[in-house]
Amino acid sequence: MVIRRWLSILLLTTYHLLLTTSLIYSQNDELLRELLWKDFLSLSAARPKIALVLGGGGARGLAHIGVLKAFEEKKIPVDIIVGTSVGALIGGLYASGMSISDLEKMSQGIGWNKISNLSATKLLTLITAESLLSTEKLEKYLKKHIGNKRFDELKIPFACIACDIKTGERIVFKDGEAAFAMRASATIPGVFKPVEYRHRLLVDGGIVDNLPVDIAKVMGADFIIAVYPQADHTTFEIKNVMTTLSQVINLQGGFLTEKQMPAADFLLIPNVKNVNIIELDRSQECMEAGVISGRSKVNELKDKILEKFIDKIAFTK
């Protein structure tokens, strides 16, 4: 044990030197990284907790599935998940124990008709009447996959964000029925009826917090990875109610996210900038962008994690 401990310290010292001299990309350094990563994972309960914060972005947020897939491939553990809007949907499903392959299948067959009562007729109703659409179908769709699980029954600790449209307050869900909270977090204002909850009227959490990094810290995260499916606002045509509302949400979410990004330890931005929030038919493209983003940054991510917890790895062994 003593020999192994001092060997670990020697390896860690070497590793830190490589980091500071920018030599981490050689073949030998790759081997050293993986040896140290194996040590990091072996810390078990003593291992620092890694949180994944998944931002909102409508259809763009399907890139979260690709990121999760890349993390599983590269053995990046996820101990805590926090999400807003589509990040709440993907994060909650994954936290419940849903596999990546099932998430991929689900997203490939997703459509507005499966998660809402949106139709051409209903869209016209938005313009000509006061009634809004319902997200009850979304909650039923979620329950089809995760049942009536409560937050404390999920496999990974999870939280999601909604907004009380009457007061503007940020509502953080960490207990109660998960599917209901996920639905509230993804209820687009101006299109769908607010969700009633304890005398509150809840809508999409992206209105008040599109990347809730601070909640991950409250939940005990030692290292926070934020995934933001950023939009390029200049590429979208503003031609109807849905595209106008989506542009407003894009702009608002972008401003809010800029304030939270610096608080994350690591940031991933999948290349889905030209995907509109309503373009669910581009799910495969978004998932692939998430995989590419995750795979391309995984070594840099491991380096950041190891560098931050280098002493803990050495002295816990």
Side-chain angles (χ1 to χ4, degrees):
M1 291 294 292
V2 173
I3 293 174
R4 176 172 172 75
R5 178 178 173 181
W6 285 109
L7 180 59
S8 294
I9 293 172
L10 178 61
L11 286 171
L12 289 165
T13 304
T14 305
Y15 180 78
H16 192 270
L17 178 62
L18 291 169
L19 281 172
T20 55
T21 55
S22 303
L23 296 175
I24 200 64
Y25 300 103
S26 74
Q27 186 176 357
N28 290 337
D29 296 336
E30 175 67 25
L31 177 60
L32 177 58
R33 177 192 291 116
E34 292 312 308
L35 285 171
L36 292 172
W37 190 250
K38 188 175 180 180
D39 265 0
F40 176 76
L41 296 179
S42 72
L43 294 177
S44 190
R47 178 176 56 74
K49 301 301 180 187
I50 297 176
L52 190 59
V53 178
L54 305 177
R60 292 190 301 276
L62 294 173
H64 295 321
I65 299 173
V67 170
L68 286 165
K69 182 177 183 176
F71 281 8
E72 281 197 1
E73 289 175 352
K74 303 299 183 180
K75 294 182 172 57
I76 305 293
V78 177
D79 305 299
I80 298 166
I81 301 176
V82 184
T84 293
S85 193
V86 65
L89 299 181
I90 302 301
L93 289 168
Y94 189 74
S96 75
M98 194 170 183
S99 69
I100 292 297
S101 59
D102 284 342
L103 277 169
E104 287 177 316
K105 289 174 187 175
M106 182 199 73
S107 67
Q108 287 165 354
I110 198 71
W112 288 106
N113 62 315
K114 291 189 177 181
I115 59 175
S116 74
N117 61 339
L118 181 63
S119 66
T121 303
K122 291 287 186 179
L123 190 57
L124 180 62
T125 301
L126 286 175
I127 304 171
T128 60
E130 294 182 0
S131 62
L132 296 173
L133 307 180
S134 172
T135 53
E136 287 183 8
K137 201 170 181 180
L138 171 59
E139 188 173 344
K140 291 177 181 177
Y141 183 80
L142 293 169
K143 285 185 176 181
K144 178 182 175 182
H145 293 285
I146 69 172
N148 295 314
K149 285 183 180 178
R150 301 175 67 81
F151 279 79
D152 59 359
E153 297 175 307
L154 301 177
K155 293 187 175 182
I156 300 174
F158 170 66
C160 63
I161 309 299
C163 169
D164 183 346
I165 201 168
K166 290 196 298 184
T167 65
E169 291 176 84
R170 181 179 72 168
I171 308 300
V172 181
F173 281 101
K174 291 190 289 186
D175 53 34
E177 199 171 273
F180 174 83
M182 292 155 67
R183 167 197 173 190
S185 183
T187 295
I188 302 172
V191 177
F192 298 108
K193 296 176 186 176
V195 177
E196 294 185 22
Y197 173 73
R198 297 180 182 175
H199 306 294
R200 295 182 181 275
L201 292 177
L202 304 183
V203 296
D204 195 300
I207 300 301
V208 287
D209 193 348
N210 204 39
L211 198 70
V213 173
D214 61 325
I215 299 302
K217 289 184 178 180
V218 171
M219 292 177 70
D222 298 301
F223 190 94
I224 300 173
I225 306 165
V227 185
Y228 177 41
Q230 190 174 32
D232 181 353
H233 315 300
T234 64
T235 63
F236 304 131
E237 292 184 40
I238 313 300
K239 54 187 179 181
N240 56 40
V241 172
M242 285 292 283
T243 53
T244 300
L245 284 170
S246 68
Q247 184 73 336
V248 171
I249 292 169
N250 285 336
L251 292 168
Q252 175 73 358
F255 294 142
L256 293 172
T257 302
E258 285 181 6
K259 295 179 180 180
Q260 285 276 33
M261 284 196 291
D265 294 291
F266 199 84
L267 181 65
L268 284 175
I269 303 180
N271 185 17
V272 289
K273 292 185 177 182
N274 68 338
V275 178
N276 199 296
I277 65 170
I278 63 174
E279 293 182 302
L280 293 177
D281 57 317
R282 299 176 68 180
S283 61
Q284 189 62 39
E285 177 185 342
C286 292
M287 286 189 291
E288 288 174 359
V291 171
I292 291 169
S293 178
R295 286 175 180 168
S296 66
K297 294 289 186 177
V298 71
N299 284 344
E300 184 182 345
L301 173 58
K302 286 181 178 180
D303 291 345
K304 290 283 186 182
I305 294 170
L306 290 171
E307 186 176 16
K308 184 169 183 177
F309 302 113
I310 202 162
D311 293 332
K312 188 175 182 67
I313 300 170
F315 291 101
T316 306
K317 289 291 180 184

